[in-house]
């Protein structure tokens, strides 16, 4: 069946114009992650993926801070990676809210649990099922402040304040760097590709690297 979102007149109230606040939330969550980094034990979720106490603590912080900015669940629906539970009382579906926050508190948990700095905090916003704003932060990559990617309806896409510039790859022969999932080798067959495959832990970061020009494409 096809889900048809109810029409909205647009989210008004400033959430989409408060990227500084969203970045602050991402940085606060990253501080929690860094405090756990290097001494966590991974668990397996029902779907076989990995989770740690840091994932859960970071998600609680992000959800609390987002709710402080917008407490009305009819206006903001939070779709979270860990323990969806009762995050949206009284709202059954994301499409019933004016704005959806898609939260992955720790994208790259397997890398995180292995002691690799290849993980990110990802907070995105969707309106009428379309992405409209977001912040992705890699706290242990890119220097003391990490790499912070952000964009909004009235804010250009940037990394640490500098505009993002994708690679000028126009056809397959120009493609040199492709980001792939860590399990890519289990099922993929690539012929005729002479470039490099990169698995950098976080799909959210892979996407940002395409926008920033570090990767030509991702799987």
């Amino acid at each position: 069946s096809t889900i048809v979102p109810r029409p909205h007149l647009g989210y008004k109230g400033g959430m989409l114009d408060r990227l500084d606040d969203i970045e602050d939330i991402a940085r606060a969550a990253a501080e929690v992650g860094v405090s756990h980094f290097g001494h966590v034990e991974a668990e397996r979720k029902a779907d076989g993926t990995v989770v740690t106490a840091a994932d859960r603590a970071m998600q609680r912080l992000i959800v609390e801070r987002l709710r402080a900015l917008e407490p009305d669940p009819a206006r903001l629906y939070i779709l979270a990676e860990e323990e969806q539970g009762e995050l949206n009382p009284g709202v059954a579906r994301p499409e019933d809210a004016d704005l959806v926050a898609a939260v992955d508190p720790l994208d790259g948990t397997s890398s995180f649990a292995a002691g690799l700095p290849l993980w990110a905090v990802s907070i995105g916003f969707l309106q009428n099922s379309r992405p409209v704003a977001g912040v992705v932060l890699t706290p242990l990559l890119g220097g003391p402040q990490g790499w912070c990617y952000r964009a909004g309806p009235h804010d250009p896409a940037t990394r640490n304040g500098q505009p993002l510039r994708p690679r000028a790859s126009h056809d397959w022969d120009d493609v040199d760097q492709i980001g792939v999932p860590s399990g890519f080798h289990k099922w993929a067959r690539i012929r005729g590709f002479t470039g490099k495959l990169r698995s950098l832990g976080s799909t959210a970061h892979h996407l940002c690297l395409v926008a920033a020009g570090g990767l030509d494409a991702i799987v």
Side-chain angles (χ1 to χ4, degrees), residues 28 53 111 121 132 150 180 208 211:
S111 293
V121 179
V132 290
R150 50 184 275 181
V180 298
C208 291

Side-chain angles (χ1 to χ4, degrees), residues 103-176:
V103 175
D104 193 340
L106 203 171
D107 187 35
T109 302
S110 293
S111 293
F112 179 89
L116 301 174
L118 306 175
W119 52 277
V121 179
S122 177
I123 306 172
F125 295 92
L126 300 97
Q127 193 170 47
N128 291 329
S129 301
R130 296 181 178 274
V132 290
V135 172
V136 174
L137 175 67
T138 62
L140 298 182
L141 300 176
Q145 299 300 311
W147 273 332
C148 182
Y149 302 83
R150 50 184 275 181
H154 310 296
D155 297 84
T158 61
R159 180 171 69 188
N160 292 4
Q162 299 301 310
L164 300 184
R165 294 185 176 86
R167 288 173 174 241
S169 303
H170 302 294
D171 57 48
W172 183 245
D173 291 335
D174 291 330
V175 174
D176 181 54

